[in-house]
Each structure stands twice: as structure tokens, then as C-alpha cells.
Amino acid sequence: MNTLYKNPFRRIEANEKIPPQQKKDMVITVETDRLFPNPSQPRFIFEDEPLLRLADSIRRYGILQPLSVRVSDRNSNNSEPSYQIIAGERRWRAARIIGLKEVPCIVFDIDSQKSAELAIIENIQREDLNIFEQAAAIASLIDIYGLTQEQAAKQLSSSQSYIANKLRILKLTPKERTEIIKHKLTERHARALLKIDDPETRLETIAYIASKELNVSATEKYIDLLLSPKQEETVDNRQVKAVLKDLRFFYNSVDRAVCILKNCGIGVVTEKKESKSETEITIRIPH
């Protein structure tokens, strides 16, 4: 029995059977070895530093919020029941770090599908998942129940556009996701990158955004510029046409001036030579 802190919760024995009317909302103590993670847990990454801080807090004050669990069929032929964690895997991991042998739990009478749903929703509501874990959690919820985006939005108390935007970033490759998280870019950065079709170019763009510390607005402008060579070419063509129009106006002006001089009886001689690189106009006016 762990003695790091006083455990106020009732311990459940391996062979003990609790009547359903007593089990509801009852906080019991379960051995950590009889708990295992939910396979539908949307969190992929458990960072060491936050986990160690949580472990230290548990060492000092204990687990203040019991884990949510359900009885599992994993050891159905065994006298000792096992429990699947619905919510609280970080607390369970932190407890094991400091050597706790037991943790407080609330046992819910639900099936594996409902357990998966609650695990996903609980993590999404906590809002401490990274942007890709959030998106993957929503995708899992949609997949488990065959929901539409609108139905998922209703279940998560959000808008359909919010769900759609979350799911869009899952189009990025695992390597791109890793780089985005590493450089602490935002979801709006990630969505802006989706304008780029080529994965290699996306990775190069992520590196550039990170090195220049571009905000979302600057990132969007940079990507638009990156993808607009045709637009730039159009602008250049317009400028060239404008210059050519000015040159024609100049040539016409020269011709009119020469014509006026000739009408005045002055023997003006003009000579025009053109090459690939230039046009040479010579005007000779006699004294």
C-alpha cells in the first residue's frame, strides 16, 4: 500500500462484487496494474515535462480527480477484473512514475463504443491536445458513429465550419505535422499550407515560416506570392504593353515633327535602323 499521501477512497478487492445500485457514481481504488489505456485515446504525445510536473503534484497532494474507467473484457476468464481508462490516462501515467500502486476511479457501466466516444469528447473539451490530435479525435468520433460533420458539430457544441476546418489539416503528411508542432505553428498556419500541392514545397515553406517567425497574415501573403508566378507574369506583360504603347506614341510624334519640317521646305532626312536589341532613328537637318 502506497503511503505517500492519505487515500480517502474505498479500495475494491479483486474478487469483490459491487451491487449495481451501489456502484453508480461510487469512487473506488483500483491497482494501477489492472488499468490500461483506451485504444481510442486521441492523445498521441505525452510530453515528459508536463507529465513530471503532474507526477510531482500528485506526490504532494494526491489525485484530486478520480479516473473514469469501465470494466473490461480483457481478462474475462480471470478472477481479477481489469479496467479500461475512459478519462485520466495522464493521471495514471503520472501515478506510475512516482510508484503509486493504486489510484481512485469511478466505474461506468458502458460499452467499448461509448467509452471511445467519451474519451474523445473529454480530451477535445480539455483543449490541451495539439491541433492534429484534436482533428484526429474528431475524425475518430465521426468514424465510430458514422456521423456527418453537422452531426459531429452538434455533439461537440460547435459549428460545422469549425469541424470542417479541423479535419482539413489531416491532409498534411505525418512529417509536415511533426514540423508544424515542433515549430509551434498554429492551425491557421497549417490551413494556409494546404494551398500548396507539393509536399516537398510545403516542408520548405514550413522551414521558411519558422526561420522568419512569420505570423499567419505574413504566411498567407508569402504563400500567395509563392503560388502566383502566372499572376506576376500577367502584371509584367501589362507593363511591357504599356511601354510599347508609349514607344509607338513617341515614333508617331517624331514622324509628325519631321512632316511639319518638310512642309516648311526644310530638307529633313530620317533614317531608321532596327536590330533585335534596339531601334536607331537618325534625323539630319541641314543648316
Side-chain angles (χ1 to χ4, degrees), residues 142-197:
I142 289 172
D143 184 59
I144 289 169
Y145 281 92
L147 303 177
T148 64
Q149 290 186 9
E150 188 175 355
Q151 289 169 332
K154 190 176 293 186
Q155 213 153 325
L156 297 172
S157 303
S158 59
S159 66
Q160 190 272 333
S161 60
Y162 171 87
I163 298 296
N165 282 331
K166 290 283 185 186
L167 295 176
R168 281 178 60 206
I169 63 174
L170 293 178
K171 295 177 182 177
L172 295 168
T173 67
K175 188 171 183 181
E176 291 161 4
R177 298 179 197 182
T178 300
E179 290 300 304
I180 288 169
I181 296 301
K182 182 175 82 173
H183 295 299
K184 299 184 176 170
L185 302 184
T186 68
E187 184 177 324
R188 288 183 61 196
H189 281 104
R191 288 206 301 271
L193 286 161
L194 289 171
K195 294 180 182 178
I196 304 171
D197 292 329

Side-chain angles (χ1 to χ4, degrees), residues 10-252:
R10 181 182 180 287
R11 185 181 189 281
I12 184 171
E13 300 299 333
N15 299 318
E16 182 177 359
K17 292 184 179 180
I18 301 174
Q21 65 272 19
Q22 292 182 21
K23 180 186 283 188
K24 185 179 179 181
D25 298 329
M26 181 179 182
V27 179
I28 59 174
T29 301
V30 180
E31 295 172 4
T32 54
D33 291 342
R34 288 161 60 193
L35 293 165
F36 65 93
N38 191 326
S40 299
Q41 160 69 259
R43 186 187 298 278
F44 305 131
I45 301 170
F46 292 87
E47 296 182 359
D48 291 341
E49 188 175 340
L51 203 57
L52 290 172
R53 285 201 301 267
L54 178 58
D56 185 58
S57 174
I58 291 173
R59 178 186 287 110
R60 292 168 180 267
Y61 308 110
I63 296 178
L64 303 180
Q65 181 181 358
L67 286 66
S68 299
V69 302
R70 76 178 189 92
V71 177
S72 170
D73 296 329
R74 174 178 281 195
N75 293 330
S76 56
N77 297 324
N78 193 305
S79 59
E80 293 190 5
S82 60
Y83 296 86
Q84 183 187 85
I85 299 170
I86 300 170
E89 184 175 338
R90 286 183 71 248
R91 279 163 276 161
W92 173 68
R93 287 174 178 267
R96 294 178 65 180
I97 287 174
I98 60 173
L100 287 186
K101 300 300 181 185
E102 300 171 333
V103 290
C105 300
I106 298 178
V107 181
F108 288 86
D109 185 18
I110 56 175
D111 60 20
S112 58
Q113 191 176 46
K114 191 67 177 177
S115 172
E117 178 189 1
L118 292 177
I120 290 166
I121 292 176
E122 192 266 350
N123 273 281
I124 292 172
Q125 288 177 343
R126 288 175 65 88
E127 295 186 346
D128 58 353
L129 302 176
N130 70 48
I131 58 174
F132 297 108
E133 289 173 335
Q134 289 176 7
I138 293 170
S140 295
L141 185 61
I142 289 172
D143 184 59
I144 289 169
Y145 281 92
L147 303 177
T148 64
Q149 290 186 9
E150 188 175 355
Q151 289 169 332
K154 190 176 293 186
Q155 213 153 325
L156 297 172
S157 303
S158 59
S159 66
Q160 190 272 333
S161 60
Y162 171 87
I163 298 296
N165 282 331
K166 290 283 185 186
L167 295 176
R168 281 178 60 206
I169 63 174
L170 293 178
K171 295 177 182 177
L172 295 168
T173 67
K175 188 171 183 181
E176 291 161 4
R177 298 179 197 182
T178 300
E179 290 300 304
I180 288 169
I181 296 301
K182 182 175 82 173
H183 295 299
K184 299 184 176 170
L185 302 184
T186 68
E187 184 177 324
R188 288 183 61 196
H189 281 104
R191 288 206 301 271
L193 286 161
L194 289 171
K195 294 180 182 178
I196 304 171
D197 292 329
D198 179 47
E200 187 175 340
T201 304
R202 282 201 298 263
L203 280 172
E204 291 171 356
T205 305
I206 292 169
Y208 179 83
I209 293 168
S211 66
K212 299 297 182 182
E213 298 183 348
L214 300 184
N215 60 24
V216 174
S217 177
T219 294
E220 290 172 340
K221 288 178 182 176
Y222 172 75
I223 291 174
D224 287 342
L225 186 63
L226 191 68
L227 298 176
S228 60
K230 291 183 179 178
Q231 183 180 347
E232 290 178 356
E233 186 179 332
T234 302
V235 172
D236 289 342
N237 287 338
R238 288 174 186 168
Q239 291 173 340
V240 169
K241 288 178 181 177
V243 171
L244 289 175
K245 184 178 179 181
D246 290 342
L247 283 174
R248 284 195 296 271
F249 178 78
F250 171 73
Y251 293 151
N252 291 336

Side-chain angles (χ1 to χ4, degrees), residues 2-14:
N2 176 68
T3 56
L4 291 175
Y5 71 95
K6 186 177 179 181
N7 189 342
F9 304 112
R10 181 182 180 287
R11 185 181 189 281
I12 184 171
E13 300 299 333

